[in-house]
Amino acid sequence: KRSLDALFNSPAAMSRVDARSFGHSYQEISANDPIAATKQWIDHQSVDSGNTALKYAYSVSDRWTVSNATIAEEAYADIWNEISKLYDYGFQLEKTTTSRCGGGEDVAENAIVSTMFVTKAYSTYSASEFKRFAITVNAALKQLTGGKIFLEPFHPEYVGKAGAKHENRRSPFPTIQICYHFGARSRSSRG
């Protein structure tokens, strides 16, 4: 009986509302407003000073996207659209910041701007599928940008390496933070 209780009371076996609650009130707003639920989760997680999973949360501002994708192809189209927008935004911001400094010193060195990409229906019950999705996008980004743009994935059922704090990456919805790193040089711009 205990082994069955452990199996059926695991995070993967919980209902949609229960899996997103984590003992908090996310379920009250999650069905209607995934951005509000995710912001609430970030605020709660950021209180924990030992949480390195959200180390770039300060860089989000108002750049949020909710994808209605239900299959991988739709999710790929949506995330690449957001990556393109963030690249354009970051490139212009970096260019403007550098030109204000006279081109000499780079005040944007090691700064990060980002977008939160939240999926309501894609891969909500499969952390491993969502992780594979993020890995394939991140691999392409490494090749295309040399690390200038990278991803930080979060999922309601996230399970990382042994000994890691899994709950730090357990968001109310499958979420990817798309980060643009100022000052990082892409391979194509290196001599």
Side-chain angles (χ1 to χ4, degrees):
K1 179 176 172 22
R2 284 184 222 191
S3 63
L4 287 176
D5 282 344
L7 176 66
F8 289 106
N9 290 325
S10 68
M14 292 181 185
S15 72
R16 181 176 214 125
V17 171
D18 291 340
R20 296 206 165 109
S21 69
F22 306 108
H24 304 287
S25 60
Y26 303 131
Q27 72 273 13
E28 295 171 13
I29 57 176
S30 67
N32 297 324
D33 194 350
I35 291 175
T38 307
K39 282 182 177 181
Q40 183 180 359
W41 171 75
I42 288 171
D43 289 344
H44 176 75
Q45 291 295 315
S46 297
V47 171
D48 177 13
S49 61
N51 185 354
T52 59
L54 287 165
K55 59 187 164 199
Y56 304 116
Y58 68 88
S59 68
V60 174
S61 187
D62 287 329
R63 288 179 301 278
W64 289 79
T65 296
V66 176
S67 172
N68 292 317
T70 57
I71 59 173
E73 289 80 3
E74 294 170 343
Y76 280 117
D78 290 347
I79 197 165
W80 282 108
N81 184 43
E82 290 308 311
I83 289 168
S84 176
K85 288 178 187 176
L86 182 65
Y87 177 81
D88 291 343
Y89 175 78
F91 181 77
Q92 288 301 319
L93 193 60
E94 190 170 21
K95 189 172 151 183
T96 303
T97 304
T98 303
S99 67
R100 266 190 269 155
C101 295
E105 65 181 283
D106 188 3
V107 296
E109 188 70 33
N110 294 321
I112 303 283
V113 293
S114 66
T115 297
M116 286 299 226
F117 178 81
V118 182
T119 64
K120 289 187 344 185
Y122 174 67
S123 195
T124 53
Y125 294 109
S126 180
S128 60
E129 179 183 5
F130 193 70
K131 184 178 180 180
R132 283 191 306 271
F133 170 78
I135 287 170
T136 59
V137 174
N138 212 23
L141 285 172
K142 282 181 184 178
Q143 289 296 314
L144 293 169
T145 69
K148 191 170 202 62
I149 299 178
F150 60 94
L151 307 179
E152 291 287 337
F154 306 94
H155 193 278
E157 299 176 351
Y158 183 87
V159 177
K161 295 178 183 175
K165 285 187 163 184
H166 306 304
E167 62 275 4
N168 288 348
R169 287 199 177 263
R170 288 188 179 162
S171 59
F173 286 88
T175 302
I176 294 178
Q177 185 175 12
I178 308 165
C179 301
Y180 181 102
H181 183 199
F182 285 75
R185 292 186 172 175
S186 66
R187 289 183 183 157
S188 61
S189 67
R190 292 180 185 161

